[in-house]
Amino acid sequence: MKSFAALLLFFLSGFNGLFLEVLWMRQLRLLLGSTAQAVSLVLAAFFLGIALGNHWWGKRAGRSKNPLRIYAWLELAVGLLAVGLYGLSSIYETLFPHVLSLTETTGIPILFFKFVLGMAFLLPPCFFMGGTFPAMTQHLYAKRTDLGRGGALLYGMNTLGGACGAFCSGFLLLGWIGFRACYVVGVLLSLGIAAVGFALSLQTRTTSPDHNAENPFPTRTEGGPNPKVPPWGVIKALAFASGFATLALEVLWTRMFEQVLHNSVYTFSLILVAFLVSIGIGGGIASYLARIQIEPTRVLVAAGCVAGLTTGLTPFLFTEVTGGLGYLGESQGWWGYVGTISRTMALTVLIPGIAMGSFFPYLLKMAEPHTLSTGKTAGILTSINTVGGVLGSLAGAFFFLEVFGLWNGIRAVGSIYFWMALAAGVHLLPRNRAGTVVPVGGILLLLMVLNPAGLPVVKVSRDKEILEYWEGSAGTVAVVESPKTRSILVNNYYTLGGRLAKKYQETMSHIPLLAHPDPESVFYIGMGTGITAAGSMVHPVEKVTICEIIPEAVEASRQYFHEDVRGLFEDSRVEIVVEDGRLFLAASDRRYDVIIGDLFIPWKAGTGNLYSLENYRSGFRHLKEGGVYAQWIPLYQVSDFELGVIAETMLEVFPAVSVWRGDFFAEKSIVLLLGHKQATAFDPDRINARAEQLSEETVGFPLNDPKDFWMHYCGSMSRENSPFDEYPINRDDLPIIEYTAPITMRKERAGETEFIGGKEFLELMDWLRENSPWGEDPLLKNAGVKELGWIDEGYERHRSKIRGL
């Protein structure tokens, strides 16, 4: 009964470990940015802390007479440090921009600084968290002959608990109760686990390691070293290789699924959960096999070969199941979509995940002959395995993807498992040649037969041509050309813009720049093709700063949209920065006249942070007097609720928010919410003069004269006069957009709800006209009869288009 209680406690320990990890990773992404480099370095800092804890506490647990008490102290330390980190994060948020301003904003220095900060944040709790596995192993399985079956069982239980914790925090609770409440749950759970651990430790008799327990496979026999037992150095090398390959494969599989999913916080949570479940099941199987009287080396060879073969087959199976990288669940509702994702994951990665998940825990069985203390052995092997995992995750993102590409990267990792099997199999010679012949055959099979060169990397229709594509750490970026247009695709289904909508993309710069009386500096969050930012080149601006998070998108624009961007890459006024736009803005000491947020995909993971109260407050602080913050919104990707949340969030920061149409389409329009730092009335004379001058540079575009500018105006809102005052505010603590937009998107695909169409947009225009008449609009105080007439003409033109549906 006490053993069952301890196992359950360790399951909860795994649950809470991943529960807190998801929260910490989110916290640090907001602080350090969401670039692939920043996320990878933070993850590396987390695992390095775990590795140090594995090693340090494994030694001490092995010498302890009551390792369960050590376990309880470790959990208590995790809970207390978690409390401290919550308070420390606010200090980091205050100090980080000032420290960042002292160094370079891009390149190696800032990456090193982010890594150091991530280590300082995560190392203390992770150091103690890493000690829980060797401590519990020593408590439950002090006999070295129990290390294999018991350690593998604990490994599987803890990992399955982690899967449940990742699901609860990332998939469920963050969107329901918010970050702060989730954090309280994690802290209380950690403290509760510690309390139960202390209570159980009081009922536990002290134990001593049994160094002389009978071992069916001793390291030495009368004739010398036992050929059936690999040397301790080989076992440690296999532990490292297993961690390396497993985490590299997680990175590659995540990229693989990104090609066919809508890539929200939900889908990334499901990928992580599926990965952990397969690893946990593998641990359980390893525990079962460790109980059977079978030569351990044979099992290890078999596990490595199965993992290698099934991993090598993954690209072919995935391509077949998804219909050549077809978008999953095209017209399915929310839960149907979740079911489709889960089935696809089970069909493609469950078996290789189980095979590779059984490899490392079964090494604990192999280590029994070398064991003097089960806790120490478990700690050493898990620390080595975790260090391998750190390097594997970095190699997956920055080596395998960028050097080999996705499919060949998966094949390369599959070959690592065959090499691991071969390293174990040589110890069966000369008694059993199959232990070497099969792995060698598997390596040759991957090299000569299972060649994924013919598999699609980007899926396009027959009338489109892929001009070039890049597989980088931030995503798969492709330039695609059709008879009508040329565009940039990210991860198969996300368009960053194209030539077909060129005039409307430039308008996204013209409207906010004309609305400002004298714009000298402008900051863009997002670049895409660069066409939107190119609109600023015909304005009398002195400095243009463009932030793009995907480096390959910048290269795609440079090579294939050079003639469309008005000399953007050569103009001395322009600075292009590859960085998280929110982070760069928050950390910068610069101030701008105009800040422009591009059309972001609302349901994409991380995008919701750009619609948050904290980001708008940062924008407000970095605006000069009279400055404006332009937030463009694709109405064809949001419902009334998401639009209301974004608008109400902006109104919490800006004293006035004006509304502008980006086009006169009857459906699938874009809208501009323009936040004004001061509710200063427009200067029609200056606007008209600049618009006249601008028309000479923009012939053929929507803004050809002052009339075109004023016709795009819909009205203004304030905190006291808004149709959205009943809507909640999108905060970092409660990320409403990030968690509601993906569900709305799936419901719209299934016909269960609708995005904002022309009629809904007309209702907003009518409300603005009725509740903030143009003659009483404070922003139009200086507008004359001519300007007001143009605004009314724009309204009538758009209304007639919509009513003509």
Side-chain angles (χ1 to χ4, degrees):
M1 183 64 184
K2 293 178 182 178
S3 296
F4 176 78
L7 282 171
L8 179 60
L9 200 64
F10 200 56
F11 175 88
L12 292 175
S13 186
F15 177 99
N16 200 46
L18 265 293
F19 189 93
L20 287 172
E21 180 192 350
V22 170
L23 299 179
W24 288 333
M25 291 296 289
R26 174 177 174 78
Q27 200 171 13
L28 285 172
R29 276 198 299 270
L30 292 173
L31 180 61
L32 304 180
S34 297
T35 62
Q37 293 89 344
V39 172
S40 296
L41 289 175
V42 168
L43 190 63
F46 176 87
F47 281 118
L48 281 177
I50 295 289
L52 289 173
N54 290 149
H55 194 271
W56 176 273
W57 292 106
K59 291 182 177 180
R60 277 136 191 86
R63 297 197 298 262
S64 174
K65 293 185 177 182
N66 194 339
L68 185 57
R69 187 167 298 166
I70 292 181
Y71 169 83
W73 279 113
L74 292 172
E75 285 289 352
L76 178 63
V78 171
L80 294 177
L81 285 168
V83 174
L85 287 180
Y86 186 81
L88 190 62
S89 64
S90 60
I91 300 175
Y92 278 7
E93 289 174 7
T94 303
L95 295 179
F96 180 61
H98 301 290
V99 176
L100 191 60
S101 65
L102 301 177
T103 184
E104 297 181 32
T105 52
T106 59
I108 300 300
I110 186 57
L111 288 177
F112 177 75
F113 176 72
K114 289 179 179 182
F115 177 71
V116 170
L117 187 57
M119 284 292 291
F121 191 94
L122 291 173
L123 182 62
C126 293
F127 174 72
F128 291 103
M129 193 180 289
T132 57
F133 177 66
M136 187 60 80
T137 300
Q138 184 67 45
H139 166 66
L140 287 176
Y141 307 105
K143 289 185 178 182
R144 68 178 181 179
T145 51
D146 290 337
L147 177 60
R149 66 176 184 86
L153 179 61
L154 282 176
Y155 182 87
M157 290 281 288
N158 190 256
T159 306
L160 289 174
C164 295
F167 181 80
C168 285
S169 58
F171 196 92
L172 297 177
L173 294 183
L174 261 172
W176 288 356
I177 63 177
F179 178 85
R180 190 175 307 163
C182 282
Y183 208 87
V184 171
V185 171
V187 169
L188 291 178
L189 187 54
S190 191
L191 297 178
I193 293 171
V196 175
F198 279 121
L200 290 176
S201 71
L202 295 175
Q203 306 171 32
T204 301
R205 291 182 297 176
T206 59
T207 60
S208 298
D210 184 0
H211 303 317
N212 301 309
E214 181 182 353
N215 193 340
F217 298 104
T219 57
R220 298 186 66 83
T221 63
E222 294 181 0
N226 188 346
K228 298 182 180 180
V229 179
W232 179 232
V234 172
I235 292 175
K236 290 191 290 185
L238 290 174
F240 176 88
S242 175
F244 181 92
T246 300
L247 267 294
L249 198 55
E250 181 189 10
V251 171
L252 296 171
W253 279 350
T254 299
R255 171 59 56 79
M256 181 176 74
F257 278 101
E258 284 178 352
Q259 307 310 305
V260 297
L261 301 178
H262 69 198
N263 297 332
S264 68
V265 288
Y266 296 106
T267 56
F268 284 116
S269 293
L270 287 175
I271 293 170
L272 176 59
V273 168
F275 182 78
L276 292 173
V277 166
S278 62
I279 297 296
I281 294 174
I285 292 175
S287 176
Y288 171 76
L289 293 173
R291 301 167 192 265
I292 300 174
Q293 289 298 315
I294 184 174
E295 190 171 348
T297 306
R298 295 172 183 259
V299 176
L300 210 58
V301 171
C305 289
V306 172
L309 178 61
T310 53
T311 297
L313 289 171
T314 298
F316 302 93
L317 182 59
F318 185 82
T319 303
E320 180 66 26
V321 170
T322 59
L325 301 185
Y327 189 79
L328 291 182
E330 180 67 36
S331 60
Q332 288 182 314
W334 174 240
W335 290 111
Y337 182 63
V338 171
T340 295
I341 295 173
S342 301
R343 286 193 299 272
T344 304
M345 290 177 179
L347 287 171
T348 55
V349 301
L350 182 62
I351 293 177
I354 291 173
M356 68 185 189
S358 67
F359 193 94
F360 169 71
Y362 197 80
L363 282 175
L364 297 173
K365 177 68 176 179
M366 302 289 292
E368 286 179 354
H370 303 279
T371 297
L372 295 179
S373 160
T374 57
K376 180 179 179 180
T377 299
I380 291 173
L381 288 182
T382 50
S383 66
I384 294 172
N385 181 259
T386 305
V387 170
V390 171
L391 297 178
S393 64
L394 295 175
F398 303 109
F399 177 72
F400 287 112
L401 276 173
E402 297 189 358
V403 175
F404 294 106
L406 175 60
W407 300 137
N408 280 316
I410 292 175
R411 180 169 67 155
V413 174
S415 71
I416 292 175
Y417 283 104
F418 279 119
W419 283 108
M420 289 159 58
L422 181 61
V426 294
H427 296 282
L428 294 174
L429 291 173
R431 298 171 293 107
N432 188 334
R433 295 183 179 180
T436 54
V437 172
V438 174
V440 170
I443 294 170
L444 294 176
L445 180 68
L446 286 179
L447 291 176
M448 303 177 66
V449 180
L450 297 180
N451 186 349
L455 298 180
V457 177
V458 180
K459 182 175 183 177
V460 295
S461 56
R462 292 182 178 179
D463 64 333
K464 294 180 180 179
E465 177 187 0
I466 301 172
L467 300 181
E468 189 172 354
Y469 69 86
W470 297 262
E471 292 185 273
S473 56
T476 300
V477 176
V479 177
V480 178
E481 189 164 60
S482 69
K484 294 183 178 180
T485 187
R486 176 182 293 180
S487 57
I488 297 178
L489 292 181
V490 176
N491 291 335
N492 256 310
Y493 293 99
Y494 293 99
T495 304
L496 294 187
R499 287 177 173 171
L500 187 63
K502 181 176 181 178
K503 61 182 180 179
Y504 301 106
Q505 291 176 59
E506 286 208 353
T507 298
M508 289 166 60
S509 283
H510 296 324
I511 292 177
L513 288 171
L514 284 173
H516 189 281
D518 187 22
E520 296 179 350
S521 57
V522 56
F523 178 76
Y524 288 89
I525 303 178
M527 176 179 175
T529 59
I531 293 175
T532 296
S536 65
M537 295 291 93
V538 297
H539 291 264
V541 295
E542 297 177 1
K543 182 66 176 177
V544 177
T545 304
I546 308 168
C547 234
E548 172 57 53
I549 198 169
I550 304 176
E552 291 79 12
V554 177
E555 187 59 29
S557 173
R558 188 191 309 272
Q559 291 190 31
Y560 291 95
F561 292 87
H562 189 272
E563 62 189 71
D564 304 294
V565 295
R566 299 181 181 271
L568 193 70
F569 291 99
E570 294 78 29
D571 200 303
S572 61
R573 297 174 295 169
V574 179
E575 177 187 14
I576 300 175
V577 181
V578 178
E579 183 55 272
D580 183 306
R582 168 175 162 154
L583 169 70
F584 185 89
L585 182 64
S588 173
D589 56 0
R590 305 178 193 174
R591 301 176 73 199
Y592 303 91
D593 294 304
V594 180
I595 298 174
I596 300 178
D598 209 337
L599 290 170
F600 308 124
I601 300 169
W603 56 78
K604 192 174 184 295
T607 297
N609 303 331
L610 299 174
Y611 296 121
S612 72
L613 179 70
E614 290 77 8
N615 185 52
Y616 290 136
R617 282 176 172 169
S618 173
F620 185 90
R621 290 193 301 270
H622 287 83
L623 284 173
K624 298 178 182 178
E625 294 301 305
V628 292
Y629 190 111
Q631 181 63 74
W632 285 97
I633 301 174
L635 295 183
Y636 49 86
Q637 292 178 338
V638 296
S639 67
D640 290 335
F641 179 77
E642 283 85 37
L643 178 63
V645 169
I646 296 170
E648 184 62 17
T649 303
M650 291 190 70
L651 286 166
E652 184 72 11
V653 176
F654 299 97
V657 174
S658 55
V659 182
W660 303 73
R661 58 180 64 86
D663 51 62
F664 291 89
F665 298 158
E667 294 284 355
K668 295 189 175 182
S669 291
I670 61 174
V671 65
L672 168 63
L673 300 182
L674 191 65
H676 301 254
K677 190 165 188 177
Q678 289 88 27
T680 305
F682 297 122
D683 185 340
D685 292 337
R686 298 189 67 166
I687 290 174
N688 294 344
R690 287 180 53 214
E692 289 281 5
Q693 186 179 14
L694 182 65
S695 65
E696 300 176 5
E697 298 284 344
T698 59
V699 175
F701 290 85
L703 295 179
N704 293 324
D705 55 45
K707 175 181 176 181
D708 288 334
F709 171 80
W710 293 104
M711 285 178 66
H712 283 77
Y713 187 78
C714 297
S716 70
M717 306 177 291
S718 66
R719 297 171 191 170
E720 297 77 23
N721 185 31
S722 165
F724 305 114
D725 53 8
E726 299 296 325
Y727 286 82
I729 293 172
N730 188 51
R731 307 173 186 269
D732 287 345
D733 179 64
L734 188 59
I736 297 171
I737 296 298
E738 196 163 24
Y739 277 85
T740 60
I743 297 177
T744 299
M745 179 263 200
R746 297 314 318 175
K747 288 184 176 179
E748 190 276 338
R749 292 290 177 93
E752 299 170 8
T753 190
E754 293 182 352
F755 290 143
I756 296 177
K759 293 180 180 179
E760 291 78 16
F761 190 19
L762 181 59
E763 290 176 3
L764 174 59
M765 289 187 278
D766 288 338
W767 188 96
L768 292 169
R769 196 180 191 203
E770 180 179 345
N771 291 275
S772 183
W774 296 316
E776 302 174 13
D777 189 330
L779 299 180
L780 299 178
K781 182 172 60 176
N782 299 327
V785 174
K786 178 175 60 176
E787 287 79 24
L788 295 179
W790 286 339
I791 293 172
D792 191 64
E793 185 177 341
Y795 167 80
E796 293 295 340
R797 176 184 170 186
H798 205 175
R799 184 179 68 165
S800 64
K801 283 282 189 72
I802 294 170
R803 289 188 170 179
L805 287 174

